[in-house]
């Protein structure tokens, strides 16, 4: 009887190839979102049997999930495309999977079961010139096809939900929102711990922090201009994040403005160290032109760090009234906001308190419950 009950559990296959064990820019927002959700679903009493296809099973070790390490070189874009279009449908048929979840944009053409697809943002539609052309063409065409054929589409914000509906003509009733949570490791640390971290890393007493991959849509060049406008030799700008694409202009701008000694590039920062980078900062600045969500905003608020962010796309959904917002084209406004947070201790304290309250709304438990509800709808609705 036990085996009969087990056999009746729906089998869900999950494409998690954007999980990575590498310590670089690929281990950023999408990786963390996938990893946290899968850990949550492994712990939930959910009634499903999961088969998780990935190249880095060590990321999810000791979760109890059925981890299937693929032999294809899916850590590279071409290998990942070949696997998801050729190998996954065959494996899904052999394993008699009842539902396929593509956790990053694209489902197979040859679907052997109903599908769910997660779309993190549509920056490749909004800003096509900011992507390598082959990457942009593939994502734009195949994400559109995948969303239209999927039984459920998952966006990570209300703004993203509206984007999928408007740009791909997918009915709103087929699009669910599963926003990220924030890991408990992001919490306020003592002033002494933050000071010790700055001393260890040879950082100034106060610095402005940006966390994100170095790429055009992060709007880092405007941030550098706004920082230069401050004219504050006692405050550094720290740009944490790995190199993405089209980043050479950033380094050329810093050199041309003679800011090499005041703008720091630590590169990719390991997950274990990131909470202290937030805690030791005077403020997080997030000037992106476009975001599907904006996880660094949430991590900073949970750490008790004031946030200044662009008033665009999904960002206001994350910040609520807990941040100072500005038009991502307005260098002057950003500079004024930076000066205010740096020079007005009362304002900074108020923003810290508001950010901590706001961050409590976003939990991975809630996200896990919402994703399991997506699966229920995908399996029971037609």
């Amino acid at each position: 009887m036990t085996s009969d009950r087990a056999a009746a559990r729906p089998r869900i296959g999950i494409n998690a190839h954007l999980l990575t064990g590498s310590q670089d820019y690929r281990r950023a927002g999408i990786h963390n979102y996938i990893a946290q959700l899968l850990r949550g679903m492994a712990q939930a009493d959910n009634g499903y049997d999961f088969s998780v296809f990935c190249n880095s099973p060590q990321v999810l070790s000791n979760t109890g999930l059925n981890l299937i390490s693929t032999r294809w070189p899916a850590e590279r874009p071409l290998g990942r495309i070949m696997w998801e279009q050729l190998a996954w449908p065959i494996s899904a048929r052999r394993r008699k999977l009842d539902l396929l979840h593509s956790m990053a944009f694209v489902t197979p053409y040859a679907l052997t079961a109903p599908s769910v697809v997660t779309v993190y943002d549509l920056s490749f539609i909004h800003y096509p010139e900011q992507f390598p052309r082959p990457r942009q063409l593939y994502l734009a065409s195949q994400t559109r096809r995948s969303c239209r054929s999927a039984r459920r589409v998952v966006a990570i914000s209300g703004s993203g939900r509206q984007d999928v509906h408007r740009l791909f003509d997918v009915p709103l009733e087929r699009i669910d929102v599963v926003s990220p949570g924030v890991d408990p490791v992001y919490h306020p640390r003592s002033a002494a711990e933050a000071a010790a971290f700055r001393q260890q890393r040879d950082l100034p007493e106060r610095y402005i922090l940006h966390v994100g991959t170095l790429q055009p849509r992060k709007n880092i060049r405007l941030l550098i201009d706004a920082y230069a406008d401050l004219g504050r030799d006692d405050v550094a700008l720290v740009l944490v994040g790995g190199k993405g694409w089209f980043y050479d202009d950033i380094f050329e701008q810093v050199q041309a403005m003679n800011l090499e000694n005041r703008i720091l590039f630590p590169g990719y920062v390991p997950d274990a160290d990131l909470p202290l980078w937030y805690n030791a900062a005077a403020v997080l600045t997030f000037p992106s032109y476009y975001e599907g969500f904006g996880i660094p905003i949430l991590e900073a608020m949970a750490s008790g760090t004031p946030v200044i962010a662009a008033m665009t796309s999904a960002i206001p959904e994350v910040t609520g009234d807990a941040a100072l917002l500005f038009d991502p084209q307005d260098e002057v406004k950003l500079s004024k906001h930076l000066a205010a947070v740096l020079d007005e201790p009362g304002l900074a304290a108020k923003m810290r308190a508001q950010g901590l309250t706001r961050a409590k709304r976003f939990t991975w438990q809630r996200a896990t419950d919402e994703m399991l509800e997506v699966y229920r709808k995908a399996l029971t609705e037609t």
Side-chain angles (χ1 to χ4, degrees):
M1 184 174 297
T2 301
S3 60
D4 290 341
R5 282 200 302 268
R9 291 162 63 96
R11 300 182 178 94
I12 299 177
I14 297 176
N15 178 359
H17 277 104
L18 285 188
L19 284 176
T20 178
S22 64
Q23 298 295 318
D24 59 24
Y25 78 95
R26 289 172 292 181
R27 195 180 176 94
I30 293 178
H31 162 91
N32 287 324
Y33 181 90
I34 294 172
Q36 292 283 8
L37 272 180
L38 290 176
R39 290 187 185 111
M41 290 191 290
Q43 295 171 5
D45 183 14
N46 52 64
Y48 299 123
D49 284 335
F50 294 109
S51 295
V52 180
F53 300 87
C54 58
N55 276 109
S56 302
Q58 70 275 13
V59 174
L60 297 172
S61 60
N62 301 319
T63 61
L65 291 169
N66 179 25
L67 304 174
I68 303 165
S69 181
T70 55
R71 298 179 180 178
W72 295 57
E75 68 279 359
R76 301 189 182 98
L78 182 58
R80 187 162 58 249
I81 291 169
M82 297 295 288
W83 179 86
E84 68 192 7
Q85 296 302 330
L86 300 176
W88 197 21
I90 295 172
S91 184
R93 185 179 297 109
R94 286 175 177 169
R95 296 173 183 277
K96 299 180 180 179
L97 299 178
D98 300 300
L99 183 69
L100 306 183
H101 183 185
S102 295
M103 294 197 83
F105 301 104
V106 179
T107 62
Y109 270 101
L111 285 170
T112 59
S115 67
V116 172
V117 62
T118 298
V119 177
Y120 298 93
D121 64 67
L122 295 180
S123 54
F124 47 85
I125 300 289
H126 288 287
Y127 299 98
E129 73 283 356
Q130 296 183 357
F131 286 77
R133 188 60 172 163
R135 177 184 177 91
Q136 191 276 330
L137 289 173
Y138 178 77
L139 284 172
S141 62
Q142 297 310 303
T143 304
R144 180 188 303 271
R145 174 193 60 79
S146 300
C147 289
R148 288 178 171 177
S149 64
R151 187 166 286 184
R152 308 296 307 181
V153 178
V154 176
I156 62 172
S157 66
S159 172
R161 180 173 182 259
Q162 290 294 331
D163 264 4
V164 171
H165 168 64
R166 180 172 57 87
L167 296 173
F168 293 162
D169 197 29
V170 178
L172 284 171
E173 58 268 23
R174 280 179 41 214
I175 310 171
D176 301 290
V177 175
V178 180
S179 295
V182 61
D183 194 289
V185 299
Y186 296 99
H187 61 84
R189 311 296 174 93
S190 69
E193 191 173 2
F197 176 80
R198 287 192 295 267
Q199 183 177 20
Q200 177 188 9
R201 299 303 176 101
D202 196 23
L203 295 167
E205 183 176 349
R206 293 203 296 175
Y207 64 85
I208 299 162
L209 178 66
H210 176 272
V211 175
T213 303
L214 303 183
Q215 56 173 286
R217 73 179 169 97
K218 298 298 184 179
N219 202 17
I220 294 171
R221 296 192 65 183
L222 179 129
L223 172 56
I224 293 171
D225 286 336
Y227 169 71
D229 291 345
L230 278 175
R232 300 283 291 268
D233 293 337
D234 61 326
V235 179
L237 173 60
V238 178
L239 303 174
V240 165
K243 296 176 181 177
W245 51 87
F246 300 152
Y247 53 79
D248 288 337
D249 288 350
I250 296 171
F251 295 100
E252 291 171 3
Q253 179 185 9
V254 171
Q255 291 177 345
M257 300 175 75
N258 296 316
L259 294 173
E260 296 98 321
N261 295 328
R262 292 166 53 196
I263 298 182
L264 310 178
F265 293 90
Y268 171 81
V269 168
D271 296 344
D273 293 343
L274 194 51
L276 280 168
W277 284 94
Y278 287 119
N279 269 269
V283 59
L284 175 86
T285 308
F286 205 73
S288 295
Y289 290 115
Y290 174 87
E291 290 287 339
F293 186 79
I295 288 179
I297 296 172
L298 188 56
E299 293 171 342
M301 291 193 300
S303 301
T305 304
V307 172
I308 301 171
M311 186 170 51
T312 183
S313 57
I315 291 174
E317 294 180 47
V318 186
T319 64
D321 60 359
L324 297 180
L325 301 179
F326 66 97
D327 185 302
Q329 304 284 352
D330 194 341
E331 166 194 334
V332 174
K333 189 70 169 180
L334 172 54
S335 187
K336 288 181 177 178
H337 280 336
L338 288 169
V341 174
L342 291 169
D343 296 337
E344 300 177 28
L347 173 63
K350 177 183 177 182
M351 292 175 66
R352 290 188 189 98
Q354 290 176 326
L356 287 167
T357 299
R358 180 72 181 174
K360 291 177 181 178
R361 300 187 181 193
F362 298 89
T363 69
W364 285 113
Q365 180 61 60
R366 173 198 50 75
T368 298
D369 293 342
E370 290 174 350
M371 188 63 81
L372 293 173
E373 176 62 13
V374 171
Y375 293 155
R376 185 197 66 77
K377 289 189 285 189
L379 287 164
T380 59
E381 299 174 0
T382 57

